[in-house]
Amino acid sequence: MGKRILVVDDDPTSLKLLDLVLNKEGYQVMTASNGLEALRKARQESPDLLILDVMLPGFDGFEICHRLRSEPATAATPIMMLSSKQQKSDHDAASKVGANAFLAKPVDRTSLLAKVAELLGDQKPPEPKPNAI
């Protein structure tokens, strides 16, 4: 069974695309569509990686990351943030709350999977297959 990834995005299309791409690579994907659901699932399901959109209802991605970093059970879980915002201040904010990576949307499949593999410590990154997500 593949490593478990919690994908959090309030856009159903983005959730579905990320789910399909990651499942195809053998990852076990769980999803959440808001901040409260993300916190609950992160605590209960103990994913190997979280992929958080920045703009979410409830708590935004920065707040979720900050909260998970402050809890011993989730403090070391790798967190990647995705956002359509591409300002340096967003990258800085993600770093400040403890995110391990920040990718701008739309993210291409190859970059996403390479970063996922890196954060999970996977030995072999996937073969390049360019497609924007």
Side-chain angles (χ1 to χ4, degrees):
M1 195 176 312
K3 292 188 177 174
R4 299 160 34 97
I5 300 174
L6 174 57
V7 178
V8 185
D9 200 314
D10 62 333
D11 176 42
T13 302
S14 293
L15 266 184
K16 185 68 174 169
L17 285 171
L18 288 165
D19 186 13
L20 289 170
V21 167
L22 294 167
N23 265 307
K24 187 174 180 183
E25 296 300 320
Y27 297 109
Q28 187 179 7
V29 179
M30 301 165 282
T31 61
S33 59
N34 63 62
L36 291 171
E37 183 182 14
L39 285 170
R40 182 180 55 77
K41 285 189 175 183
R43 292 169 178 149
Q44 291 176 350
E45 303 292 335
S46 300
D48 298 300
L49 170 69
L50 272 84
I51 298 177
L52 293 174
D53 186 23
V54 169
M55 302 298 289
L56 294 167
F59 299 113
D60 68 16
F62 298 127
E63 179 66 21
I64 295 165
C65 186
H66 174 73
R67 287 178 182 233
L68 294 175
R69 287 291 178 247
S70 67
E71 298 175 15
T74 55
T77 303
I79 298 175
M80 178 192 314
M81 300 193 80
L82 298 179
S83 180
S84 55
K85 296 174 145 191
Q86 299 181 26
Q87 289 96 3
K88 182 177 179 341
S89 61
D90 296 310
H91 288 262
D92 292 345
S95 181
K96 183 177 178 181
V97 295
N100 301 89
F102 184 99
L103 295 177
K105 289 181 179 180
V107 61
D108 70 83
R109 181 183 181 282
T110 302
S111 297
L112 174 74
L113 293 174
K115 188 55 72 175
V116 166
E118 176 188 327
L119 293 173
L120 290 173
D122 292 347
Q123 295 298 318
K124 182 183 170 213
E127 294 297 317
K129 297 175 190 170
N131 285 337
I133 297 174

